[in-house]
Amino acid sequence: MGSDTACTITDLPLEVLERILVILDPIDVASTAQVCRFFRGLVYPAGDEHFWRALYLAQSFDDPRKAVTYLGNRRTDIKWREELQRIIRARTVVNDVNVCRPDERCQVLRTLLDMVTNVPPLPFPESEPTSRNVLWVQTLLQDGAFLDLESHSQEEEQLRARLHTWFGLTDRDTFAAKRVVSRAYVYSQRNYLSSNSFGPFMRDGSGIVNWVHMQKLAHVFACALVEREEENELASESCSLSLTFCQAVIPPSLNLNRETDWAGVEGLWRISYCFMDHRELLIYNDPNIPEDEPLDHTIFEEGELEETFSAIDIFFRVINVEQDPDHPTRPKINYVGEMDGNFSIVGYVKLTPDDQIRWHFVAGNGDQPVWWYVVLVLTLFIIW
């Protein structure tokens, strides 16, 4: 056959070439675009997202058109090429952090957070979790190495702690040394002040969530929960404080922008909690130690500390709602908790200034409050 009749790959129909490219890894697609102008024009067509939409949907990700935020809002204006490139870059950085540029560390964390906070909702509480984004991120981060990296700024530290909180326990979180650090932080009374509302919030009085504090709380409680389940031979493949359980439950007919109980407060809940012996707590928080000196962590290092873990079932009933000017479609929900026919909890649910879900309640025996102030930022934690 003469050279003048030889065929090349560029002679194939465009539909076939696009199909070949779509089944490739996006990294290989980018390499193909560098071969010649023809393939560059095919991969990067001016003003046309058709190819990138097909390439995105060919990956092991959720369809963003079917996803909602953790507050139940639908996605709009999807930029297929930009979002896919960000995701693949995040994958590259997690697998080899040495290739990460100093100015993109926060961007990578935001990309991974977008992945886990924008997933399709489940239609019913009994539905099996189905998010492909969640499975992909779980596989990518399970060893915990990326989540344990030292942060170079406060913004990066907060983003990493938030992602870690959503993710749940990693393989590294089972190390005794890591648990010591989290317990030392959680049980230090220095971290509970009027300036942070005695909870996991920034100390500037803004009401914005302190994700470093939140991650320590989640770590301590998750470890206690896993131990409890193992003792009772109820251990499951994944802890219930993990990404697997982060898909929002939104029945198909429900419009959250018109629903007053947008957080699903009313119903039967299980409240679980754990704490250390109060005598040991007082010893650890020795008032004779100056504020500028660290507390003695020995009590957590000896391996003999036992935390009390308990759970109660209680019915929450919404009594009214109050408009929140900062969040017109998510009003403040006031509720009471009933147990054995008695009201034992009075509280509210509202959004924080940074759009996180905040639970607050006063609990006690009869008219005598015992837990005068408890703050929960995500429904996932402790109330479940």
Side-chain angles (χ1 to χ4, degrees):
M1 182 177 296
S3 60
D4 57 335
T5 59
C7 295
T8 66
I9 190 173
T10 57
D11 294 321
L12 292 173
L14 290 180
E15 294 81 2
V16 174
L17 291 174
E18 285 188 357
R19 179 57 184 165
I20 293 172
L21 290 172
V22 162
I23 63 177
L24 296 178
D25 185 272
I27 292 290
D28 297 325
V29 173
S31 298
T32 303
Q34 299 178 29
V35 171
C36 63
R37 291 182 179 178
F38 174 82
F39 278 112
R40 183 168 184 81
L42 190 61
V43 172
Y44 300 114
D48 187 357
E49 290 273 88
H50 168 77
F51 171 75
W52 286 93
R53 180 174 67 245
L55 185 59
Y56 188 111
L57 296 176
Q59 310 307 308
S60 299
F61 309 141
D62 295 321
D63 185 341
R65 296 170 297 186
K66 300 177 180 179
V68 298
T69 69
Y70 61 91
L71 292 180
N73 298 317
R74 292 282 177 182
R75 293 288 315 278
T76 58
D77 189 27
I78 300 167
K79 300 178 180 179
W80 299 96
R81 172 182 165 183
E82 178 182 324
E83 293 190 19
L84 182 56
Q85 289 176 329
R86 285 175 52 203
I87 293 170
I88 300 305
R89 179 59 183 173
R91 182 189 67 180
T92 300
V93 168
V94 171
N95 289 330
D96 183 5
V97 70
N98 293 320
V99 304
C100 183
R101 299 183 298 272
D103 61 341
E104 69 173 340
R105 293 169 72 100
C106 289
Q107 181 62 51
V108 169
L109 290 165
R110 281 191 288 267
T111 296
L112 295 174
L113 276 167
D114 286 343
M115 290 283 288
V116 299
T117 58
N118 292 274
V119 297
L122 297 175
F124 307 104
E126 302 80 13
S127 303
E128 288 293 325
T130 56
S131 172
R132 303 178 77 188
N133 281 9
V134 165
L135 292 174
W136 187 83
V137 173
Q138 281 179 321
T139 302
L140 186 68
L141 300 179
Q142 185 56 52
D143 69 350
F146 183 75
L147 294 175
D148 278 353
L149 290 176
E150 181 180 355
S151 297
H152 293 174
S153 66
Q154 183 181 23
E155 179 187 13
E156 182 185 348
E157 181 183 42
Q158 288 293 319
L159 286 169
R160 178 168 281 107
R162 183 184 176 192
L163 180 60
H164 198 161
T165 304
W166 276 83
F167 185 88
L169 294 178
T170 67
D171 295 340
R172 297 185 177 213
D173 286 331
T174 60
F175 296 166
K178 288 208 64 180
R179 194 172 184 185
V180 167
V181 172
S182 292
R183 279 173 159 173
Y185 187 104
V186 167
Y187 290 118
S188 172
Q189 294 177 345
R190 296 176 178 179
N191 294 319
Y192 303 89
L193 307 169
S194 58
S195 59
N196 68 343
S197 299
F198 302 99
F201 301 97
M202 292 297 185
R203 295 187 181 185
D204 57 5
S206 64
I208 293 174
V209 177
N210 180 348
W211 285 103
V212 172
H213 193 156
M214 197 67 213
Q215 193 277 319
K216 304 298 186 188
L217 285 168
H219 184 205
V220 170
F221 184 79
C223 288
L225 177 61
V226 169
E227 287 181 350
R228 173 80 170 192
E229 292 177 342
E230 290 176 346
E231 290 174 0
N232 296 327
E233 298 182 350
L234 298 174
S236 58
E237 186 174 338
S238 60
C239 175
S240 53
L241 270 71
S242 65
L243 272 182
T244 304
F245 299 89
C246 284
Q247 275 187 270
V249 178
I250 305 177
S253 60
L254 184 65
N255 185 340
L256 287 180
N257 291 333
R258 297 180 179 178
E259 173 62 44
T260 54
D261 185 14
W262 52 269
V265 172
E266 186 152 311
L268 184 64
W269 291 81
R270 169 159 294 181
I271 301 180
S272 299
Y273 53 93
C274 69
F275 53 88
M276 66 184 291
D277 185 279
H278 289 149
R279 291 166 296 184
E280 294 179 320
L281 180 66
L282 292 175
I283 292 173
Y284 172 55
N285 288 277
D286 186 350
N288 295 316
I289 299 178
E291 286 290 324
D292 58 351
E293 293 184 12
L295 298 175
D296 184 1
H297 300 170
T298 305
I299 190 173
F300 304 115
E301 297 171 351
E302 295 174 343
E304 298 180 358
L305 176 70
E306 292 187 7
E307 291 165 317
T308 298
F309 185 98
S310 188
I312 58 174
D313 293 331
I314 191 165
F315 187 88
F316 287 167
R317 180 165 60 85
V318 175
I319 52 176
N320 59 50
V321 298
E322 301 175 37
Q323 287 302 309
D324 182 350
D326 296 326
H327 304 94
T329 62
R330 300 292 186 270
K332 176 183 177 182
I333 304 171
N334 297 309
Y335 65 91
V336 294
E338 303 174 7
M339 187 170 59
D340 299 328
N342 298 313
F343 297 113
S344 56
I345 283 180
V346 177
Y348 62 80
V349 177
K350 65 175 296 183
L351 292 184
T352 63
D354 52 336
D355 294 335
Q356 303 303 317
I357 303 173
R358 172 178 178 173
W359 290 69
H360 172 281
F361 60 75
V362 177
N365 298 321
D367 296 330
Q368 301 299 317
V370 177
W371 305 333
W372 72 275
Y373 196 80
V374 179
V375 177
L376 307 175
V377 179
L378 294 175
T379 309
L380 172 68
F381 299 112
I382 306 181
I383 296 185
W384 52 289

